[in-house]
Every structure is written in structure tokens, then in C-alpha cells.
């Protein structure tokens, strides 16, 4: 069955939540100390991540490189690359992408992944041997539990009744999680803590007046360690606001409000019957999410001007906090 990062276990959402919290540490780089941000380690990781992003570019699925990099980080923590051998780094990146494609049940060929690449070209047998090495290091735990597995659970604590605002909050938190994967400092935090911190950052940006209630709801959750949440939240704030650029900006160069709405209406009147149709629907959903975020931000800014308590966007930048 295709791996869904929001529901990686083969069970219903509500039944799987306690299990997710219990076993999430098994899907983290272990031990985290082996991924200390040394210059050498950072260089290897950056190069491998860059290759993964390049190799995944033909598949139009942002969750594919995320899952591939998850495999990469877990593999490097168990089997670190100790010598600079470009072919080893490239083979590792290709194998992580291939494993992610298999877990997502995406059809591919080796030529698709290595198309137009220069330098080392690997045959399927070599890649499969590397895949087995990665599988052994990950103890065959390939249905990765990621921050996306906890987003819906934490959103349910907010008791939102307005679907567009739920969609906007989820879309912005997803953007932050994608961006946060680049920062090696976050590897020490559990996926659930990263999800909670991303939602806090998103809610603070989109719904500042309701933010104290959201913060209380998450920090009161029995599954959440408050000290870890505070530390991760402080780091997440830096990541979320540093060089802000929406990952949805690349959905379409013509995603004006009119075109986005057209896409949303068109997708609702079509039936998914093939892989190509599924990709089109996914793009429409992403565009709709981007539109929802824009709408919520516009409404938020209008309310600020009306009540006069948020003079400018700089007021959204919270100082580092010690406790909630």
C-alpha cells in the first residue's frame, strides 16, 4: 500500500495516534549525536540533499524529496560517510530516492532518475545493493513517521470550525516543515515536536489573536514535552521567518487569484482516472491551499488595521521565549 506521510500506519487516524507517539523515536536519526554539525558532516549532507532535490525534480511531488532526505539522515546517523568519495554520495542519494519512489508506489526507471546527469551512471544492480545497505541501517522501517503524521492531530486541538482557515493553517505549517528539514539542528527533536512547533509558528503568523489559545492547547497535550517544545519553537521561529519564500510559489507561474479559483473549480468537476490526472488534482489542491493562505493573511491584515494593535509586520517577530 502506498505510503501516506500523514497516516503512515495501516489503521484509522484516531487509532494510530497513540502508536505514532510511542514509536516515533524509532524513526529518528539514532543516536542524534552522530549527526553533530561538523563542517565535514554538513558538507556531505548538503551535497546529498542537493542531489536528492535534483533527482526528484521530474516527479512533481514535494513529499518525495522530503521522504528521501528522511531516509538519508537516518542512514547517515547509522552509517556515516567517512571519506569524500563523490560516487558514494551520489549513489546514496539515488538509492534514497528510489526507495522513496517504491514506498509511494510511483512508477519509474533508473534512466528517469539519472536522465541528463553528468559523471557517474549506476546500473540497477549497483543501486539495489546500496538500497539493501540503507534498508539494513534503517532496520527496514520505511513507513517513516514524520511531522506530517501529527499535523491533523494537533490541528484538531484547536477546534477550528472554518475549513478554509484549517486549510490555510495546514498549508503554512507544511511550508515551514519543508523548510525546516534543511536545518540539521532540528534532527534532535521528535517529529511530533517539530509538527507542534510548525503549527505554533503558522498560527502566530496567520491568527495572532487566537495564538495564546493555540499555544495553551498544544502545551497542555499529554504527549508534548514542554521544554522540548519551547526549544524547538524558538528554532522554528528563526527558520520560518528567515528569507521567507512560499514553497507553493512554484505551483504555477500563472497562479493569479482568478486562475487559482478556476483550477479549484475544475478539479472538483473531474474524476481521477490516471497518474496524470492525479498530478493535476494535486497541483490544484496546492494552488487552493496557497489561495487560502493569501485570503487569511488579507483578512488578518484588515483586522489589524481596524483594531490598531498590530502596527506593522515586525510585531509578528516574537522574542525568544523561555516558557509558555
Amino acid at each position: 500500500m502506498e505510503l501516506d506521510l500523514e497516516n503512515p500506519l495501516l489503521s484509522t487516524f484516531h487509532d494510530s495516534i497513540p502508536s505514532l507517539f510511542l514509536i516515533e523515536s524509532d524513526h529518528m536519526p539514532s543516536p542524534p549525536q552522530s549527526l553533530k554539525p561538523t563542517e565535514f558532516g554538513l558538507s556531505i549532507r548538503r551535497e546529498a540533499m542537493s542531489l536528492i532535490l535534483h533527482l526528484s525534480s521530474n516527479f512533481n511531488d514535494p513529499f518525495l524529496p522530503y521522504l528521501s532526505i528522511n531516509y538519508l539522515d537516518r542512514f547517515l546517523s547509522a552509517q556515516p560517510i567517512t571519506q569524500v568519495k563523490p560516487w558514494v554520495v551520489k549513489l546514496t542519494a539515488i538509492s534514497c530516492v528510489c526507495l522513496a519512489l517504491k514506498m509511494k508506489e510511483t512508477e519509474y526507471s533508473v534512466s528517469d532518475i539519472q536522465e541528463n546527469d553528468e559523471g557517474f551512471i549506476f546500473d540497477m544492480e549497483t543501486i539495489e545493493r546500496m538500497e539493501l545497505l540503507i534498508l539494513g541501517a534503517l532496520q527496514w522501517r520505511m513507513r517513516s513517521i514524520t511531522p506530517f503524521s501529527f499535523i491533523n492531530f494537533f490541528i484538531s486541538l484547536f477546534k477550528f470550525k472554518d475549513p478554509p482557515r484549517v486549510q490555510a493553517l495546514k498549508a503554512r505549517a507544511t511550508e515551514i516543515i519543508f523548510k525546516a528539514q534543511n536545518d540539521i539542528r532540528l534532527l534532535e527533536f521528535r517529529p511530533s515536536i517539530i509538527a507542534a512547533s510548525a503549527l505554533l509558528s503558522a498560527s502566530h503568523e496567520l491568527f495572532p489573536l487566537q495564538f495564546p489559545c493555540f499555544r495553551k492547547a498544544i502545551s497542555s497535550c499529554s504527549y508534548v514535552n514542554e521544554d522540548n517544545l519551547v526549544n524547538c519553537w524558538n528554532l522554528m521561529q528563526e527558520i520560518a521567518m528567515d528569507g521567507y519564500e512560499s514553497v507553493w510559489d512554484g505551483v504555477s507561474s500563472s497562479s493569479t487569484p482568478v486562475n487559482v479559483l478556476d483550477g479549484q473549480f475544475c478539479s472538483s468537476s473531474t474524476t481521477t482516472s490516471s497518474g496524470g490526472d492525479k498530478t493535476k488534482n494535486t497541483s490544484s489542491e496546492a494552488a487552493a491551499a496557497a489561495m487560502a493562505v493569501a485570503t487569511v493573511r488579507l483578512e488578518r491584515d484588515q483586522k489589524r488595521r481596524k483594531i490598531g494593535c498590530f502596527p506593522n509586520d515586525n510585531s509578528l517577530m516574537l522574542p525568544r521565549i523561555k516558557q509558555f
Side-chain angles (χ1 to χ4, degrees):
M1 181 179 291
E2 178 183 351
L3 172 60
D4 178 3
L5 290 184
E6 289 190 8
N7 186 22
L9 303 184
L10 303 180
S11 59
T12 62
F13 172 74
H14 292 289
D15 291 340
S16 66
I17 285 299
S19 299
L20 288 174
F21 281 101
L22 285 174
I23 66 175
E24 63 174 322
S25 60
D26 294 335
H27 295 252
M28 295 173 57
S30 177
Q33 291 78 9
S34 64
L35 275 171
K36 291 181 179 178
T38 61
E39 187 59 35
F40 177 78
L42 286 172
S43 176
I44 293 294
R45 185 175 187 263
R46 279 195 298 265
E47 183 178 353
M49 286 178 62
S50 178
L51 285 168
I52 286 174
L53 292 172
H54 171 67
L55 296 168
S56 304
S57 60
N58 291 333
F59 296 94
N60 195 30
D61 180 358
F63 292 97
L64 176 64
Y66 190 94
L67 181 60
S68 303
I69 293 171
N70 173 274
Y71 292 157
L72 172 71
D73 285 333
R74 291 165 58 197
F75 173 69
L76 290 179
S77 72
Q79 191 82 27
I81 298 175
T82 57
Q83 297 180 2
V84 181
K85 295 181 179 180
W87 68 268
V88 175
V89 177
K90 184 174 182 179
L91 179 59
T92 301
I94 290 174
S95 301
C96 286
V97 172
C98 287
L99 288 171
L101 285 167
K102 290 174 180 176
M103 292 303 298
K104 293 181 68 63
E105 296 187 356
T106 302
E107 294 185 3
Y108 74 96
S109 66
V110 176
S111 60
D112 291 336
I113 299 176
Q114 301 184 90
E115 185 180 9
N116 299 325
D117 266 7
E118 298 179 357
F120 303 102
I121 301 296
F122 304 99
D123 58 31
M124 195 64 210
E125 183 179 355
T126 301
I127 294 173
E128 287 177 347
R129 287 203 300 268
M130 189 65 192
E131 288 178 357
L132 286 174
L133 182 61
I134 295 173
L135 287 168
L138 272 57
Q139 300 180 28
W140 291 77
R141 295 188 177 112
M142 307 306 290
R143 304 191 70 85
S144 293
I145 297 175
T146 68
F148 300 108
S149 309
F150 300 92
I151 289 290
N152 288 330
F153 169 75
F154 284 122
I155 287 180
S156 70
L157 301 180
F158 296 169
K159 303 188 184 303
F160 260 128
K161 296 182 181 180
D162 188 355
R165 281 166 171 73
V166 172
Q167 187 179 30
L169 182 64
K170 186 175 180 179
R172 178 58 181 140
T174 298
E175 291 180 326
I176 295 172
I177 291 171
F178 278 134
K179 187 174 182 180
Q181 192 180 36
N182 297 329
D183 198 314
I184 198 170
R185 295 174 296 174
L186 280 172
L187 293 180
E188 66 177 280
F189 297 105
R190 289 174 177 248
S192 60
I193 294 295
I194 294 174
S197 299
L199 278 169
L200 283 178
S201 295
S203 63
H204 180 257
E205 178 186 337
L206 299 178
F207 311 107
L209 297 181
Q210 292 88 0
F211 174 75
C213 295
F214 298 156
R215 184 181 66 190
K216 182 178 180 181
I218 287 183
S219 60
S220 299
C221 176
S222 60
Y223 295 114
V224 173
N225 179 290
E226 190 168 355
D227 290 337
N228 288 338
L229 179 63
V230 170
N231 292 334
C232 187
W233 150 260
N234 283 323
L235 181 56
M236 194 71 76
Q237 279 292 89
E238 298 177 16
I239 295 171
M241 303 308 295
D242 179 23
Y244 178 81
E245 181 179 354
S246 172
V247 296
W248 301 115
D249 287 346
V251 169
S252 171
S253 60
S254 60
S255 292
T256 62
V258 174
N259 289 332
V260 168
L261 289 175
D262 286 343
Q264 184 178 6
F265 290 135
C266 289
S267 64
S268 64
S269 61
T270 58
T271 301
T272 301
S273 59
S274 66
D277 292 336
K278 183 176 180 181
T279 300
K280 291 178 182 177
N281 287 340
T282 300
S283 297
S284 295
E285 291 171 3
M291 184 63 182
V293 172
T295 301
V296 169
R297 284 176 180 153
L298 178 60
E299 293 177 357
R300 176 202 63 191
D301 293 339
Q302 289 173 340
K303 290 178 181 178
R304 284 184 190 151
R305 287 193 291 269
K306 184 180 296 184
I307 63 178
C309 64
F310 291 96
N312 53 55
D313 284 343
N314 290 333
S315 63
L316 290 182
M317 295 296 292
L318 285 183
R320 293 181 62 86
I321 54 177
K322 296 182 179 180
Q323 62 182 9
F324 285 133

